[in-house]
């Protein structure tokens, strides 16, 4: 969707302008604009509340109660925004090309600076950030998952033994299949394959490999969603600093 060009127009309706920014790929401008509007509205509400309390000369207890209520409502609003992300499928827009590209820089690109983070002001902004950031930093998140999985295996040594045993079992099956020519005996190969699958399931269950995997998935997913929702959207290609002519 795009608004019609009109050289005599002095302004564009906000919904049309936001739709044009979204359709044109300027998500970082839309993200910054949403944050600015929320900051202006919050400042206006706080100023109005302060002026109202000053004009009515409320006692300190009433003023403290109003401030506490405003703080609690803000905290509940933030919690509601985070809970709403549980219903979002963050991998809906991922494609194979996203994983085949270069990994964004960890310092300037992925981590950024302190001003690169802000709490989303609405559920739509949080969803937009999560979807876009996961698409941009999917290779970084995949690396973090591998790191968390390695740490979980370090914390549960028996899981590491089970994982290595499972891999060794499948390598042995492949070696024996090539050596004995099991491709010429499909029934025998199918029986051995099911046997190896059952043995792998038993090893994984006994050695608690599934617990290490669940721990890695849970921690990496929580870290990914938290980072993706707090990380501001930035231009995909930073402007190069060339010499001024």
């Amino acid at each position: 969707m795009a608004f019609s060009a009109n050289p005599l127009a002095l302004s564009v309706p906000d919904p049309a302008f936001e739709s044009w920014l979204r359709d044109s790929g300027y998500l970082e401008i839309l993200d910054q604009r949403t944050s600015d509007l929320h900051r202006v509205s919050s400042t206006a509400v706080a100023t109005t509340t302060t002026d109202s309390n000053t004009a009515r000369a409320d006692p300190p207890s009433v003023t403290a109660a109003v401030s506490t209520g405003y703080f609690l409502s803000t905290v509940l609003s933030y919690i509601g925004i985070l809970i709403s992300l549980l219903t979002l499928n963050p991998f809906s827009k991922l494609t194979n090309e996203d994983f085949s590209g270069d990994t964004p820089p960890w310092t300037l690109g992925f981590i950024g600076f302190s001003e690169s983070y802000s709490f989303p002001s609405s559920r739509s902004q949080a969803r937009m950030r999560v979807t876009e950031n996961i698409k941009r930093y999917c290779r970084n998140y995949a690396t973090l998952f591998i790191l968390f999985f390695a740490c979980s295996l370090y914390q549960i040594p028996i899981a590491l033994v089970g994982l290595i045993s499972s891999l060794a079992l499948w390598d042995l099956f492949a070696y024996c299949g090539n050596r004995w020519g099991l491709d010429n005996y499909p029934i025998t190969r199918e029986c051995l394959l099911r046997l190896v699958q059952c043995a792998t399931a038993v090893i994984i269950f006994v050695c608690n490999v599934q617990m290490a995997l669940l721990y890695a998935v849970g921690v990496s997913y929580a870290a990914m969603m938290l980072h993706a929702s707090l990380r501001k959207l930035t231009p995909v290609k930073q402007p190069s600093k060339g010499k001024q002519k």
Side-chain angles (χ1 to χ4, degrees):
M1 175 181 178
F3 53 85
S4 57
N6 185 0
L8 300 179
L10 299 179
S11 62
V12 177
D14 289 343
F17 182 60
E18 291 181 1
S19 299
W20 179 81
L21 288 175
R22 188 182 301 275
D23 297 339
S24 301
Y26 296 105
L27 297 179
E28 64 277 359
I29 300 178
L30 181 60
D31 182 37
Q32 184 63 36
R33 185 173 183 271
T34 304
S35 300
D36 293 340
L37 291 177
H38 176 72
R39 183 169 60 253
V40 171
S41 62
S42 300
T43 304
V45 171
T47 304
T48 303
T49 304
T50 303
D51 295 341
S52 177
N53 293 334
T54 303
R56 291 183 299 175
D58 290 335
S61 60
V62 176
T63 304
V66 172
S67 302
T68 303
Y70 177 75
F71 175 77
L72 290 178
S73 63
T74 303
V75 172
L76 292 177
S77 175
Y78 287 164
I79 294 176
I81 291 174
L82 292 179
I83 293 177
S84 67
L85 296 178
L86 298 177
T87 61
L88 174 67
N89 180 15
F91 311 108
S92 58
K93 293 186 178 181
L94 283 181
T95 59
N96 295 330
E97 287 75 12
D98 297 328
F99 290 96
S100 61
D102 297 332
T103 302
W106 285 89
T107 53
L108 299 179
F110 182 72
I111 299 177
F113 303 96
S114 59
E115 60 270 13
S116 302
Y117 297 88
S118 68
F119 205 94
S121 59
S122 62
R123 298 183 180 183
S124 59
Q125 185 183 23
R127 290 171 176 266
M128 178 182 65
R129 283 185 179 182
V130 168
T131 304
E132 184 63 23
N133 282 329
I134 289 180
K135 187 176 180 63
R136 294 182 181 183
Y137 306 119
C138 58
R139 293 175 62 90
N140 302 88
Y141 294 134
T143 305
L144 288 179
F145 167 74
I146 296 174
L147 179 61
F148 289 140
F149 186 57
C151 292
S152 63
L153 292 177
Y154 178 77
Q155 294 293 331
I156 311 177
I158 189 64
L160 178 59
V161 175
L163 182 62
I164 296 177
S165 301
S166 300
L167 295 177
L169 182 62
W170 281 99
D171 286 340
L172 180 62
F173 174 74
Y175 174 78
C176 294
N178 294 330
R179 184 177 179 85
W180 297 339
L182 293 180
D183 293 336
N184 299 326
Y185 306 96
I187 297 178
T188 304
R189 184 181 185 278
E190 185 69 19
C191 294
L192 290 177
L193 177 62
R194 299 305 177 187
L195 183 61
V196 171
Q197 289 177 347
C198 293
T200 303
V202 171
I203 293 174
I204 289 176
F205 179 77
V206 172
C207 297
N208 289 330
V209 178
Q210 75 280 3
M211 296 303 298
L213 182 61
L214 289 176
Y215 171 79
V217 170
V219 174
S220 60
Y221 184 82
M224 177 187 67
M225 296 296 287
L226 185 62
H227 176 270
S229 60
L230 298 180
R231 184 70 162 87
K232 292 181 180 180
L233 296 180
T234 55
V236 178
K237 293 183 179 180
Q238 299 291 341
S240 58
K241 298 181 180 180
K243 295 182 179 180
Q244 298 181 353
K245 295 182 181 181

